Amino acid sequence: MAHVSSYTTLAAWPLAICQALEARKFQVAPILKDVSLCREQLRVDPDGRIDIQTMTKLWDCVLRTTKDECFGLRVAEYVQPTHFRALGMLLISADNMEQAFLKLGEYAALISNSAQIDITLTPDRLGFFIQPISGVTISSLAIDSFMATFYQFAIRLGAQRPCIASLELMKPLPNKPSAWEAYFQAPVSFGQQTNCLWVKRSALKSESYLGNQVIASFHESLVKDYLASLQNNSFSSQVKHYVLSQLEKNEPRIEQVAEYFQLSPRSL
């Protein structure tokens, strides 16, 4: 039987949500308490991971509290490249914005591995896809926030406006769809088969002000190390949970555990 992956997102997201809530005079503590999150713990461990089920509950609680269907867009105002740690620095130090966003697509699992992130290039557009993973529930507000963050990064790094060609979202038609069109300054269609932000490649060609290949290579190595550590920790947790689940029956042999994870005992 194949093992089940652990789906998480970077702890920087709930911190940005807290800032957006406070800017609009909402009390943060009760919302975090409802989903068993501690703000101070998030602050001291920004590289930490939050289970996607907890994040989805947080977004749901935010929506109930604010009654603002556009709140995912608001959160992007408080997300900085440094929130994404080494990946953020990699984006800033890329030669140009198109290269930066290709790197973002390549290493998006650092931000969240709870959806499939893909980048598609056509002769005149770059498509930033967020595809759901079967069995993993993600709030539509989280999708909005990620798309809005992508857009804000483009603007902050000097993209020529208007830089968005169009936006496709899987979410049903909201009460005020014009809010999305006003935010992205582009046509937005809802109820689609996928989530995709289409960016004009011509708007991404200008060189980065901070482009530096040495700095970019250094931070890319940090990103790779982080993702490798994340993958190893995730698998270790899966093994631990399986062993604990079997202890009520008997003490599992290594051969039994290896067979469950479709590995040889030596590989395990």
Side-chain angles (χ1 to χ4, degrees):
M1 179 178 179
H3 58 272
V4 179
S5 298
S6 177
Y7 297 106
T8 60
T9 191
L10 201 61
W13 281 117
L15 288 173
I17 290 172
C18 290
Q19 287 183 280
L21 287 167
E22 288 179 334
R24 288 157 181 80
K25 310 302 181 184
F26 289 102
Q27 294 295 317
V28 170
I31 296 175
L32 293 181
K33 184 178 180 180
D34 281 350
V35 296
S36 301
L37 285 178
C38 172
R39 190 174 188 178
E40 186 57 31
Q41 186 175 356
L42 295 172
R43 282 175 175 155
V44 299
D45 187 19
D47 286 335
R49 310 292 298 186
I50 306 298
D51 182 81
I52 193 59
Q53 292 180 335
T54 299
M55 275 302 304
T56 300
K57 290 178 182 177
L58 175 59
W59 281 113
D60 290 345
C61 192
V62 166
L63 182 58
R64 287 195 305 271
T65 301
T66 65
K67 298 179 173 57
D68 182 359
E69 60 183 356
C70 303
F71 199 82
L73 305 180
R74 325 281 189 214
V75 171
E77 301 172 28
Y78 302 92
V79 181
Q80 303 295 331
T82 50
H83 280 135
F84 297 156
R85 321 308 289 170
L87 177 57
M89 297 306 298
L90 172 59
L91 302 183
I92 292 173
S93 55
D95 288 339
N96 57 58
M97 283 177 288
E98 182 168 293
Q99 183 187 76
F101 292 136
L102 289 174
K103 293 296 183 184
L104 177 59
E106 183 177 358
Y107 299 121
L110 182 149
I111 303 170
S112 179
N113 65 353
S114 52
Q116 179 65 45
I117 308 293
D118 293 306
I119 300 287
T120 296
L121 293 176
T122 73
D124 60 344
R125 297 189 301 171
L126 180 151
F128 185 78
F129 287 84
I130 303 179
Q131 302 279 17
I133 296 175
S134 179
V136 181
T137 302
I138 301 178
S139 169
S140 64
L141 272 70
I143 302 296
D144 288 343
S145 186
F146 207 162
M147 293 300 195
T149 296
F150 185 102
Y151 172 57
Q152 289 295 330
F153 279 10
I155 297 302
R156 292 170 187 170
L157 293 176
Q160 301 170 10
R161 301 192 193 191
C163 61
I164 306 301
S166 63
L167 173 62
E168 302 168 17
L169 293 172
M170 298 175 68
K171 68 189 299 174
L173 185 70
N175 293 324
K176 296 181 179 179
S178 60
W180 277 260
E181 294 187 348
Y183 187 93
F184 290 97
Q185 299 179 21
V188 180
S189 52
F190 299 88
Q192 301 302 301
Q193 295 298 311
T194 188
N195 301 296
C196 182
L197 185 67
W198 288 103
V199 185
K200 299 175 183 177
R201 291 183 69 182
S202 60
L204 302 177
K205 293 300 185 181
S206 60
E207 294 184 359
S208 169
Y209 297 119
L210 300 177
N212 185 304
Q213 189 58 50
V214 174
I215 295 175
S217 296
F218 171 70
H219 285 101
E220 186 164 13
S221 69
L222 294 180
V223 170
K224 290 179 178 178
D225 288 346
Y226 179 91
L227 288 174
S229 173
L230 179 63
Q231 185 175 17
N232 290 338
N233 288 340
S234 175
F235 182 69
S236 298
S237 296
Q238 293 165 34
V239 173
K240 177 181 178 181
H241 291 157
Y242 175 73
V243 170
L244 289 174
S245 72
Q246 298 302 303
L247 285 178
E248 293 183 359
K249 306 172 186 176
N250 52 55
E251 183 175 338
R253 296 176 294 107
I254 189 171
E255 292 80 8
Q256 175 189 342
V257 179
E259 181 180 2
Y260 178 84
F261 288 99
Q262 298 181 349
L263 296 170
S264 68
R266 181 180 178 84
S267 295
L268 179 64

